[in-house]
Amino acid sequence: EQSRRGAKIKRPVVFEHDGKRIMATPFSGLKIDYKISFPHPHIGCQEFSYESSPGRFASKIARARTFGF
């Protein structure tokens, strides 16, 4: 098995562009908090929180897909 390289977040990092924002903060593991506000009745405002653990990727993330109209 090939080894994987990762990045360690040592301080908060924020990127903003055209009213969109992403932020990474130090954490011991992988945790994702996501919020979308989209002007379409099928999307609207939604939130999602995920903290990695064995098996969770397969059950919560792997089948996710993008959307388009």
Side-chain angles (χ1 to χ4, degrees), residues 1 4 7-8 19 22 29 33 43 48 56 63 66-67:
E1 184 175 306
R4 298 180 186 181
K8 184 172 185 171
I22 188 167
D33 291 313
I43 306 296
F48 176 76
R56 284 198 88 198
R63 297 181 348 151
T66 59
F67 64 90

Side-chain angles (χ1 to χ4, degrees), residues 48 57-67:
F48 176 76
F57 179 83
S59 68
K60 300 290 183 185
I61 302 293
R63 297 181 348 151
R65 299 289 182 259
T66 59
F67 64 90

